[in-house]
Amino acid sequence: MHTNERHIFGKANNNEIRTEQCHLLHMENELAYASQHMEKIGSNQSKLLDKLYELESRIH
């Protein structure tokens, strides 16, 4: 199993090709989950994503 290589991320039984970066997808999924349970995150989700993207763009 350790010798198998994939050039895409995701579940082992899913061969769908995704073009977005995995850390961005994970961030969006986690924020969407949190917004379901925390009202302030839900009401500010787009602002939070914008700020996270801005901060991420500063990383070299």
Side-chain angles (χ1 to χ4, degrees):
M1 186 178 212
H2 293 285
T3 60
N4 294 342
E5 290 187 22
R6 292 178 52 164
H7 298 287
I8 58 174
F9 67 93
K11 294 181 179 180
N13 63 349
N14 185 357
N15 290 324
E16 177 183 336
I17 296 176
R18 304 191 68 119
T19 57
E20 61 269 327
Q21 296 177 338
C22 63
H23 70 282
L24 297 177
L25 180 63
H26 182 71
M27 178 181 64
E28 291 172 8
N29 287 343
E30 292 295 320
L31 193 57
Y33 177 79
S35 70
Q36 294 173 3
H37 302 284
M38 299 175 185
E39 185 179 324
K40 287 197 177 219
I41 290 178
S43 61
N44 294 297
Q45 185 174 358
S46 63
K47 290 179 188 177
L48 288 168
L49 271 177
D50 289 343
K51 187 62 173 179
L52 289 170
Y53 288 137
E54 176 192 333
L55 293 171
E56 188 245 349
S57 71
R58 295 180 186 179
I59 299 171
H60 300 282

